[in-house]
Amino acid sequence: MQELLRRITALAATPAERQTRARELARVLGGDDLVVMLRDSEIGAFLPAPGFRQTLSDATRWRQLTAECIARGEAFADGMGLGVDDPRRPVYAIGCSDDSIVAIIGATGRPHAADELIQLLPLLTRVLQGERAVDHATARERVARQSAAYAERLVSAFNQSRVQLEAALAAAEESRRIVAEANVQLQDQAMEMEVQSEELQSQAEQLQAMNVELEKARDEAAAASKAKSEFLATMSHELRTPLNAIAGHVQLIELGIYGAVTDEQRAALDRIDRSQRHLLGLINDILNLARIEAGRVEYHITAVSVNDLLSDIAPMIEPQIHARALQYRVVIPSPEIAVRADREKLQQILLNLLSNAAKFTPPEGSIEVWCGTHNDRPHLAFIRVTDTGIGIAEDKLASIFEPFVQVNSGHTRPAEGTGLGLAISRDLAVGMGGELRVRSTVGKGSSFTLSLPLATRDAEDERNSTVMQSRAD
Ligand code: ADP
């Protein structure tokens, strides 16, 4: 009995060694292994106690054995279906109660210590049930702990989501506020724009009215300008007649037709003659300009060889060049260059440019004429008159093409020009489809560039002249 108690206690103490101890006890009892079945309080069925042999291969057979054992206090069966190594070996179940059963495998009859075992069984049962309860509690605690951790994770995730949601809500609120503000601003702007639009509308109406008035004024100005040009043309014509008469009479007096002429009288006649010629030149220029402006100039356009024309002009300016001891050079890399122009008017422009160059270049300076084609505008030829004269101040460059402007008048004698030459030259150049430009540096010299359409071979072949009417602006 003492031995049994010791073994049972040892069985309960260390679950890991139970299998070995159970076998030892089984051998003491006359079998070779031991099964302890405990009723599980949660599911109500008998299950093998942890650490003992697990024999539930056929639950039905075990249930039958258990039922029989509970009914009679003990039961005897062969091992068939009970998970025993050798199914022919018997199984002896004893100590049956509502809570536990001990089955001895391999016992061929009732074990000799069966009664003591039956008495001690409640003790074992309590220990094992307690152990199972602890296991359950541990498992429950583990599950509870897991659930708590899970819940904690859920709470943390929930909190995170809540924080994110709050942030999103705050952002949405901020966006709503910004949109509301923008909306207010937009409304303000819309109102402002409406006001501006009304203002613009009224300004547009005013502009239209002004436009109408301006058009009227422009028409009136054009009519007045035409009338002025016509008046000038007529007046110039009327003035030339008496001036020519004056010249004739001066000549007659000089020739002594009206009696002998003293030296003083001759000097006075000379001055009269010079003044008459200056006045006549001025009137001719005015007439010229007035005609151009009134659109009464005809251009007989032909292909003009620049080389030929410059050769023709050379003797005309030779006296001026010679008088001031100037150097004169013509550079034409392609002598065959021809321009489409009215020969007479082109000659007039070149003579004006050359005589200006001679006029405004100090003695022993030089004048050069270059001719070529523009790189960037290949349909245009240029004739450039460059001098090493006094030059023109930058701020005066634009005005020299205006009628009656003489920027260097301080350096030249008043009788040396009318201030109309460049105005006429530029108008003629434009009238022939070209342009006249200037570059100049004070003290170094000036360069006037006349550009005219290049005469192509086809144009030359036409051998006819085109008559163009100058623009009446
Ligand atoms: P004019 O020579 O009869 O005075 P232009 O219209 O031909 O009239 O020239 C206007 C002015 O432009 C001249 O009075 C002169 O001041 C300036 N000018 C023209 N050509 C030159 C030049 N080659 N060098 C310096 N100044 C010039």
Side-chain angles (χ1 to χ4, degrees):
M1 181 67 192
Q2 283 304 313
E3 172 63 13
L4 261 177
L5 183 61
R6 195 183 58 73
R7 285 179 186 276
I8 291 289
T9 321
L11 272 179
T14 53
E17 293 168 347
R18 252 169 226 163
Q19 194 76 52
T20 324
R21 300 281 167 85
R23 282 211 187 99
E24 283 171 21
L25 180 57
R27 275 196 286 279
V28 171
L29 294 169
D32 50 32
D33 205 356
L34 198 73
V35 173
V36 177
M37 304 283 282
L38 295 178
R39 187 189 289 280
D40 191 296
S41 58
E42 287 180 5
I43 61 173
F46 281 92
L47 296 174
F52 291 93
R53 185 188 181 93
Q54 305 292 303
T55 55
L56 273 184
S57 56
D58 186 342
T60 315
R61 282 276 286 140
W62 271 106
R63 261 202 304 279
Q64 282 170 1
L65 185 70
T66 309
E68 195 185 330
C69 182
I70 288 172
R72 297 197 289 113
E74 56 186 0
F76 190 74
D78 63 22
M80 183 70 77
L82 296 178
V84 174
D85 303 337
D86 181 357
R88 287 164 305 178
R89 289 173 70 74
V91 174
Y92 190 79
I94 52 165
C96 301
S97 74
D98 276 353
D99 281 343
S100 59
I101 295 168
V102 171
I104 300 150
I105 298 166
T108 47
R110 194 170 197 272
H112 61 271
D115 292 336
E116 286 95 327
L117 184 62
I118 290 167
Q119 282 169 22
L120 286 173
L121 206 54
L123 176 63
L124 175 66
T125 305
R126 269 202 302 283
V127 171
L128 292 177
Q129 289 286 23
E131 200 176 281
R132 171 167 283 176
V134 168
D135 279 357
H136 279 322
T138 310
R140 265 193 225 101
E141 191 199 346
R142 196 173 57 246
V143 169
R145 236 181 266 229
Q146 278 172 351
S147 303
Y150 182 65
E152 217 165 283
R153 282 209 300 279
L154 271 181
V155 166
S156 137
F158 171 76
N159 276 346
Q160 249 176 355
S161 306
R162 196 173 54 87
V163 168
Q164 283 172 355
L165 200 67
E166 273 171 9
L169 273 177
E173 176 62 20
E174 179 64 10
S175 304
R176 199 193 57 74
R177 196 183 57 72
I178 291 172
V179 167
E181 261 177 28
N183 215 10
V184 170
Q185 277 179 2
L186 273 176
Q187 273 172 0
D188 286 356
Q189 280 175 1
M191 273 164 68
E192 259 176 47
M193 280 177 78
E194 210 166 312
V195 172
Q196 279 177 2
S197 159
E198 277 166 19
E199 275 174 20
L200 278 174
Q201 178 81 22
S202 96
Q203 279 174 3
E205 280 163 14
Q206 282 175 6
L207 273 175
Q208 208 162 347
M210 273 164 69
N211 229 5
V212 171
E213 272 175 34
L214 276 175
E215 255 171 49
K216 211 169 119 194
R218 197 198 57 194
D219 290 349
E220 281 171 9
S225 168
K226 195 153 188 226
K228 178 204 79 179
S229 300
E230 272 165 12
F231 167 77
L232 279 176
T234 319
M235 278 305 291
S236 303
H237 187 73
E238 293 301 317
L239 285 170
R240 277 199 303 182
T241 316
L243 273 177
N244 284 330
I246 291 171
H249 285 297
V250 166
Q251 267 181 2
L252 289 177
I253 295 170
E254 275 185 332
L255 288 172
I257 304 291
Y258 301 113
V261 184
T262 66
D263 287 346
E264 279 180 345
Q265 285 170 341
R266 197 170 290 282
L269 284 174
D270 213 30
R271 283 201 292 279
I272 293 172
D273 188 46
R274 275 211 309 272
S275 299
Q276 180 273 342
R277 268 190 275 126
H278 176 67
L279 206 53
L280 194 60
L282 181 63
I283 288 165
N284 279 340
D285 281 350
I286 292 176
L287 185 59
N288 225 328
L289 192 64
R291 273 204 186 122
I292 297 172
E293 286 184 353
R296 296 212 315 234
V297 172
E298 280 188 357
Y299 296 88
H300 299 276
I301 303 292
T302 56
V304 181
S305 156
V306 179
N307 201 20
D308 290 356
L309 182 65
L310 285 170
S311 305
D312 290 354
I313 289 174
M316 300 184 204
I317 49 149
E318 218 283 318
Q320 266 179 289
I321 302 274
H322 186 71
R324 296 175 73 87
L326 300 171
Q327 290 200 1
Y328 178 64
R329 197 158 79 101
V330 174
V331 185
I332 306 185
S334 317
E336 72 282 357
I337 284 188
V339 290
R340 287 182 59 70
D342 179 317
R343 186 184 170 91
E344 239 176 61
K345 295 184 174 65
L346 175 56
Q347 176 171 318
Q348 187 180 344
I349 296 171
L350 290 177
L351 274 177
N352 181 43
L353 294 181
L354 286 167
S355 72
N356 274 352
K359 217 160 46 175
F360 298 109
T361 302
E364 301 191 352
S366 70
I367 300 173
E368 279 186 358
V369 182
W370 286 76
C371 176
T373 51
H374 285 283
N375 285 340
D376 53 343
R377 292 175 294 172
H379 63 288
L380 285 182
F382 68 82
I383 306 167
R384 182 169 297 141
V385 178
T386 305
D387 63 53
T388 57
I390 56 174
I392 306 157
E394 175 134 23
D395 59 333
K396 300 285 190 301
L397 279 179
S399 63
I400 57 169
F401 292 104
E402 298 302 320
F404 303 109
V405 172
Q406 291 181 302
V407 291
N408 299 316
S409 52
H411 300 277
T412 55
R413 284 178 291 132
E416 277 190 346
T418 60
L420 286 169
L422 286 179
I424 292 171
S425 297
R426 195 215 24 210
D427 283 356
L428 290 177
V430 172
M432 292 187 288
E435 62 182 26
L436 180 59
R437 292 191 181 184
V438 63
R439 293 170 82 111
S440 186
T441 309
V442 172
K444 288 202 168 166
S446 311
S447 188
F448 285 83
T449 304
L450 169 68
S451 300
L452 286 170
L454 202 57
T456 59
R457 200 162 287 283
D458 292 348
E460 270 179 76
D461 290 346
E462 283 172 20
R463 287 169 206 267
N464 59 357
S465 63
T466 316
V467 178
M468 283 166 52
Q469 196 79 16
S470 78
R471 274 192 302 129
D473 292 325

